[in-house]
Amino acid sequence: MRQFLPVLALAAALFVQSQTTALAIDVVPPGNRNAEQPAIPGASTRRTKAGKTSFDAKYEKVRDLIANDRQLTGKIKSTAAKYGIDPIHMVGAIVGEHTYNVDAYDRLQSYYVKAASYTGNFRFAYDGETVGDFIARPEFAQCASKKGSYALWTCREGVWNKTFKGRTVGGTSYPNNRFSAVFFQPFYAGQTFGLGQINPLTALTLTDDVARISGYDRLDENDAAGVYQAIMDPDTSLAYMAAAIRRSIDAYRKTAGVDISKNPGLTATLYNIGNPDARAAAFAARRAAGEATWPEENYYGWLINDKLAELRGLL
């Protein structure tokens, strides 16, 4: 029995060690994986030229907006704390969006004014069919059992990609485009709004998270005006931004076993390109095959890491 006890203890120690190893999370190192900034999409370049400005000028404008508005930085910090993230991730997303997509307003108050004026009798629809009627089709029945808005709308987007995108179904030809661009942007494709430049479908996907953590009302796809009001208002926009970043961090931790929370360039990249769950799964597969060591930033995230010292100084 005495000889058996040390063996048992050793076995127990090895088991604990193996479990600890299995649960280990690798922290992604800070900084950029690419020495030079990846190529900036032509659409972003054309949009910036059309506005008779430059990326440098847009960056400086949004940087100054954050630097000069203590109310805004206070809101960023308090919102980030609720979602358990470093506020630098939110700063990175705001700076990236306003550098490469829309130009920033000079004052936070301008975003409130814009949100208050944003009303209209529009709806989420395509070719006369509302999104509410569309997702009632039998093709979406598989999503009915999904719990929570994130799983539900992620499933619906997957059905769109597999069954409708670029196909003709029931005599209707659907564009080879994103679900969000076809059904959720009634003015023109690619449109996002507000301080966080939130996509309406993204807001619907995250509405349960935001309702639970921030206490805001849940959104309804049949109330397009309500969705746009939520993403236009700076306060709710910040909540949806934080929820999106939290989801990205959790996806890479759970699916790929890596912690991206110490690398704002990566969270900014995912904020820009979306679909963190699918991207985390794809990265995990590449890593398992020995084809990748760490996730990499895109042009948008590269800027955030490159300017990180300056951006941290804003907080």
Side-chain angles (χ1 to χ4, degrees):
M1 183 66 179
R2 290 178 181 176
Q3 293 178 342
F4 179 71
L5 288 175
V7 174
L8 184 61
L10 176 61
L14 290 173
F15 175 77
V16 171
Q17 183 179 8
S18 67
Q19 291 298 100
T20 301
T21 301
L23 296 174
I25 302 295
D26 295 324
V27 179
V28 179
N32 287 315
R33 306 283 78 83
N34 296 292
E36 297 183 358
Q37 185 177 28
I40 299 171
S44 184
T45 300
R46 291 190 295 272
R47 186 163 50 242
T48 299
K49 286 184 177 179
K52 296 181 179 180
T53 184
S54 68
F55 293 130
D56 286 343
K58 291 168 72 176
Y59 168 80
E60 291 168 3
K61 187 174 183 180
V62 68
R63 178 203 61 197
D64 292 346
L65 166 68
I66 299 171
N68 297 328
D69 197 320
R70 293 297 91 188
Q71 181 188 15
L72 174 57
T73 54
K75 288 176 180 292
I76 290 171
K77 289 177 181 179
S78 62
T79 303
K82 289 181 180 179
Y83 289 81
I85 61 175
D86 188 328
I88 191 62
H89 296 294
M90 298 181 66
V91 169
I94 293 171
V95 169
E97 286 296 327
H98 289 81
T99 298
Y100 294 112
N101 292 325
V102 299
D103 205 352
Y105 289 124
D106 293 316
R107 298 181 304 126
L108 177 63
Q109 187 60 33
S110 298
Y111 287 94
Y112 288 106
V113 172
K114 183 69 174 178
S117 68
Y118 204 84
T119 58
N121 296 318
F122 47 85
R123 59 181 184 164
F124 296 135
Y126 173 73
D127 197 29
E129 182 178 21
T130 67
V131 72
D133 289 338
F134 183 67
I135 59 177
R137 290 179 174 223
E139 290 88 346
F140 292 93
Q142 61 187 283
C143 301
S145 62
K146 299 297 182 182
K147 304 298 183 182
S149 62
Y150 190 85
L152 178 62
W153 284 103
T154 298
C155 177
R156 288 169 172 170
E157 188 172 18
V159 171
W160 164 265
N161 290 335
K162 182 179 179 181
T163 307
F164 294 93
K165 181 180 178 181
R167 299 172 182 268
T168 298
V169 181
T172 300
S173 179
Y174 294 96
N176 184 23
N177 205 345
R178 293 170 292 114
F179 191 28
S180 59
V182 176
F183 270 94
F184 293 94
Q185 296 168 352
F187 300 108
Y188 59 88
Q191 194 167 27
T192 52
F193 284 93
L195 183 63
Q197 288 296 287
I198 305 292
N199 179 303
L201 178 56
T202 299
L204 287 165
T205 300
L206 296 169
T207 189
D208 280 358
D209 291 352
V210 170
R212 184 181 71 255
I213 299 172
S214 294
Y216 292 122
D217 291 339
R218 285 176 170 80
L219 303 179
D220 186 336
E221 67 273 12
N222 296 307
D223 179 16
V227 174
Y228 273 110
Q229 280 291 322
I231 60 181
M232 288 285 286
D233 181 89
D235 295 339
T236 48
S237 182
L238 286 172
Y240 279 98
M241 176 184 295
I245 293 167
R246 179 76 261 171
R247 280 283 180 176
S248 292
I249 292 171
D250 291 345
Y252 272 73
R253 174 179 284 271
K254 178 181 178 181
T255 304
V258 296
D259 180 3
I260 64 173
S261 68
K262 304 296 187 286
N263 194 305
L266 288 178
T267 56
T269 294
L270 291 165
Y271 192 83
N272 175 234
I273 60 180
N275 298 316
D277 293 272
R279 295 183 191 282
F283 166 72
R286 293 196 305 274
R287 198 179 195 216
E291 298 172 357
T293 303
W294 302 115
E296 295 184 6
E297 71 288 338
N298 69 350
Y299 70 98
Y300 180 117
W302 191 96
L303 174 77
I304 303 310
N305 277 340
D306 188 57
K307 301 284 190 180
L308 191 57
E310 181 177 31
L311 297 179
R312 280 201 177 278
L314 303 178
L315 294 168

